[in-house]
Amino acid sequence: MGSVEQQQYDAIVVGAGFGGCHVLRTLRERGYKSLVLDNAADLGGVWYWNRYPGARVDSKIPLYEFSDKDLWGDWSWSVKYPGQNEIQEYFQHVESKLHLKKDIRFNTTVTAANFDDINNQWHVHTNDGSVFVSRFFILCTGSFSEPYIPKFEGLDTFAGPKFHTSAWPHGGIDYKNKRVGVVGNASSGLQTIQEIAPDVKHLTVFQRSPTFAIPMRQTKLTGKDQDKSKYPQIFESRKNNFAGIDRQFNPQSALEVSDEERTKFFEELWEEGGLLFWLATYQDVIMNKEANKYAYAFWRSKVLPRIKKPKVAEILAPEVPPYFFGTKRVTLEQRYYEVYNQDNVVLINTRENAIKYVVPQGIITEDNTFHELDILVLATGFDSVTGGLLAIDIKGLKGQTLREKWAHGTWTSLGVMTSGFPNMFFTYGPQGPTTFCNGPTCAELQGEWVVSCMDFMREKGHTFLNPDVGSEEAWREHVNMIGNMSLLPLTESEYMGTNIPGKTKEMLNYLGGLPTYVQKCNDLLASGFEGFDIK
């Protein structure tokens, strides 16, 4: 049997979403021979896979797109918060301008990668037996690429269609006049629930924790609504704000203003809609328990009048919140709470009445009630931030695997590199701004920084860049120090890794804000990677 042909590149990139597309474009512009590998059949990353009913973005237009005028100059959106179909159309528009696909291999899963410390190169293996050799290995796998499915007893016995929301059948599925069960009610669960509720015969929602959803304020957009003369300023602004959007937190304390002023401010954010009630509120809402109580009380006062059934209202918006507002991902809704006023919708609080086991025709809960179902939807979240990276068998120096290194916690340098894995970068990963940052903003800033690191090495004649352990310890301490000032560690959530059984509880995101993060990255580059092992 002949040896496998090894194809040589300057950089291999994994993922063809916003991150991978921007990195590929930048690599091309700087003269690097590059190839992107993606297990999907087309561009889009998570937006290729997320085809469940109602799937749409939670950052408004034009924040959720690339900042290059060549891409937005002749592109217009139909709505303020585009759905999956329109996002896919946008990626095809990007392709028509940049012709990225000629350097992308679709339907290709990266299974393993190992570092050759003699030649300072990565050997990247794929599911079809191919091996690609490159100086640099760049992972743009995203934070929501590895779905999590709980091990419900009997799940495999369910006779009808069952799937995670990220694996919704691409040909669609007929849920009209069917009995549908949805397990989970965070972002994808909420969007699915409010979309299918008018058409199903019966809907049973299995909720572990209430989602503190806020109004999307979706609107159709005309050309006049998309004033392109303002776009350069908007895109510059998003680089300078905490979450990569066009607004900052209010620097005032919720405790130091009058009740009237606080309520007026909350009302303004609520009416404007979108993520503002979460990411443009008083700066201490996410840090101070008393300030957080004000935000939750206001939120509850808005939601309760929309729910007609008192017992259901207490499950969806309990008097005593089970976690602090904003410490789980805040979702955007359009008619979510009205769904539960329908007579054919049942809400199960699984903290009090858990799923006992799954049977061919439905689910049996702990109270031995049988919930008959034709379709079972698992909106059970993701092994977020680290899951996509650890799904690949990555081996660095001395054969150490990334899974071994991160088995009891995550260690990175600035959330883009990790010691022992030279010349390897990851964007939108652990200990970066990641899920507290608008995706396209983070994709552009991190991607450009990664390629600038490669430029530095090329100019200096270096072929080996490895972070030192000390820089990782300092960064981890810094990430945790800022995170521990917030209320996030008090809540079990994807932000802390505690939504996955056995996963280490830790701060998975950097909460120092995007401008501070970018400055730290630029300072490291300007220092010539002081303290790193460079050859």
Side-chain angles (χ1 to χ4, degrees):
M1 185 175 179
S3 61
V4 176
E5 180 182 358
Q6 298 183 341
Q7 303 172 59
Q8 299 271 348
Y9 292 88
D10 295 319
I12 292 294
V13 181
V14 183
F18 275 98
C21 287
H22 187 72
V23 166
L24 175 58
R25 179 193 185 172
T26 309
L27 287 167
R28 275 185 183 174
E29 291 174 345
R30 309 277 179 88
Y32 294 100
K33 182 183 178 183
S34 309
L35 180 70
V36 173
L37 305 173
D38 196 293
N39 62 344
D42 209 335
L43 299 174
V46 68
W47 293 111
Y48 174 82
W49 298 108
N50 275 353
R51 300 181 181 229
Y52 59 84
R56 66 181 61 253
V57 304
D58 57 9
S59 291
K60 67 181 181 181
I61 295 306
L63 296 175
Y64 204 82
E65 60 183 295
F66 289 120
S67 64
D68 185 350
K69 185 177 181 179
D70 289 342
L71 299 178
W72 55 255
D74 59 352
W75 173 263
S76 295
W77 300 91
S78 67
V79 291
K80 192 175 183 179
Y81 295 90
Q84 187 267 345
N85 285 339
E86 193 165 11
I87 292 290
Q88 272 293 294
E89 291 171 4
Y90 173 71
F91 272 101
Q92 298 312 312
H93 167 72
V94 171
E95 168 62 17
S96 73
K97 297 287 186 175
L98 303 181
H99 309 292
L100 299 172
K101 292 183 182 181
K102 64 183 180 181
D103 292 319
I104 301 176
R105 278 186 54 163
F106 293 113
N107 300 307
T108 302
T109 301
V110 175
T111 56
N114 57 282
F115 186 72
D116 169 10
D117 57 2
I118 297 176
N119 298 300
N120 295 336
Q121 294 176 320
W122 281 94
H123 293 242
V124 181
H125 302 257
T126 61
N127 60 326
D128 62 0
S130 298
V131 180
F132 303 90
V133 179
S134 66
R135 177 75 65 213
F136 298 98
F137 185 40
I138 306 173
L139 293 147
C140 300
T141 51
S143 58
F144 301 118
S145 60
E146 192 64 18
Y148 167 64
I149 298 177
K151 296 179 179 179
F152 295 121
E153 183 180 346
L155 181 60
D156 290 341
T157 70
F158 185 72
K162 68 175 184 300
F163 37 79
H164 192 275
T165 45
S166 66
W168 193 279
H170 285 199
I173 190 165
D174 182 13
Y175 52 80
K176 293 184 178 181
N177 299 315
K178 300 290 178 63
R179 292 164 296 202
V180 181
V182 179
V183 181
N185 62 329
S187 183
S188 60
L190 177 150
Q191 291 181 335
T192 300
I193 289 164
Q194 69 181 9
E195 189 73 15
I196 70 173
D199 298 316
V200 299
K201 179 179 181 179
H202 190 275
L203 176 63
T204 306
V205 177
F206 299 87
Q207 170 191 292
R208 186 173 63 173
S209 299
T211 183
F212 298 156
I214 55 181
M216 176 176 279
R217 306 295 187 211
Q218 175 72 295
T219 57
K220 293 183 179 180
L221 296 178
T222 65
K224 293 181 180 179
D225 297 320
Q226 298 171 77
D227 183 355
K228 302 295 178 70
S229 68
K230 297 180 180 178
Y231 276 27
Q233 181 181 351
I234 292 172
F235 290 126
E236 188 63 27
S237 172
R238 74 180 187 180
K239 294 191 295 186
N240 299 318
N241 288 319
F242 176 92
I245 58 176
D246 58 348
R247 295 280 281 277
Q248 276 284 30
F249 283 110
N250 187 328
Q252 292 180 291
S253 166
L255 307 178
E256 295 175 355
V257 297
S258 67
D259 291 346
E260 293 77 14
E261 182 178 350
R262 187 190 315 109
T263 299
K264 180 176 181 292
F265 177 64
F266 281 162
E267 287 282 4
E268 291 171 352
L269 296 179
W270 192 265
E271 286 306 310
E272 189 168 349
L275 296 172
L276 299 185
F277 191 75
W278 180 36
L279 296 176
T281 187
Y282 294 108
Q283 51 83 22
D284 57 350
V285 165
I286 199 67
M287 302 174 72
N288 182 283
K289 293 180 181 179
E290 292 303 312
N292 197 274
K293 285 181 181 178
Y294 283 122
Y296 180 76
F298 181 89
W299 173 85
R300 188 168 185 261
S301 74
K302 290 294 188 180
V303 168
L304 281 180
R306 298 168 58 187
I307 309 168
K308 305 306 181 185
K309 304 171 184 177
K311 290 183 179 179
V312 172
E314 183 57 24
I315 297 173
L316 293 171
E319 183 176 359
V320 179
Y323 61 91
F324 293 103
F325 182 87
T327 57
K328 286 180 181 281
R329 186 179 179 188
V330 174
T331 52
L332 302 186
E333 58 87 22
Q334 298 184 71
R335 57 174 303 275
Y336 177 68
Y337 294 102
E338 284 74 14
V339 165
Y340 296 95
N341 297 328
Q342 296 179 205
D343 292 335
N344 65 334
V345 176
V346 171
L347 176 64
I348 307 296
N349 180 357
T350 60
R351 288 201 182 273
E352 296 181 356
N353 188 19
I355 293 174
K356 191 173 184 180
Y357 44 80
V358 181
V359 295
Q361 283 75 43
I363 286 176
I364 295 177
T365 46
E366 285 291 344
D367 64 356
N368 290 318
T369 298
F370 170 56
H371 304 273
E372 188 174 4
L373 304 173
D374 301 312
I375 300 170
L376 179 57
V377 179
L378 301 167
T380 47
F382 296 84
D383 183 357
S384 63
V385 186
T386 58
L389 302 174
L390 296 177
I392 304 170
D393 183 17
I394 302 175
K395 294 180 181 178
L397 297 176
K398 299 179 181 179
Q400 182 188 33
T401 69
L402 189 61
R403 293 168 185 164
E404 290 168 344
K405 179 175 181 180
W406 287 357
H408 303 293
T410 307
W411 301 81
T412 78
S413 180
L414 293 173
V416 286
M417 298 186 74
T418 187
S419 182
F421 298 80
N423 302 352
M424 184 178 86
F425 299 92
F426 37 88
T427 65
Y428 222 55
Q431 299 178 348
T434 312
T435 50
F436 277 86
C437 184
N438 179 44
T441 310
C442 210
E444 290 188 347
L445 293 174
Q446 284 189 319
E448 287 161 15
W449 186 84
V450 166
V451 181
S452 293
C453 294
M454 294 170 57
D455 290 343
F456 169 84
M457 293 180 65
R458 181 170 60 182
E459 291 164 6
K460 300 293 184 181
H462 299 315
T463 61
F464 181 97
L465 177 66
N466 186 37
D468 65 302
V469 173
S471 72
E472 291 190 328
E473 292 175 346
W475 183 246
R476 180 180 172 88
E477 182 179 349
H478 178 63
V479 169
N480 287 329
M481 181 270 293
I482 294 177
N484 288 335
M485 294 169 62
S486 77
L487 300 173
L488 265 70
L490 304 180
T491 297
E492 290 188 359
S493 74
E494 66 185 32
Y495 297 138
M496 301 299 301
T498 43
N499 64 315
I500 304 297
K503 190 171 181 176
T504 300
K505 179 181 179 180
E506 59 180 338
M507 285 301 307
L508 287 172
N509 297 271
Y510 177 63
L511 294 184
L514 186 62
T516 301
Y517 174 78
V518 171
Q519 186 60 55
K520 289 183 178 296
C521 289
N522 290 339
D523 288 347
L524 176 64
L525 181 57
S527 75
F529 295 94
E530 183 178 355
F532 280 38
D533 186 5
I534 306 178
K535 301 176 184 177

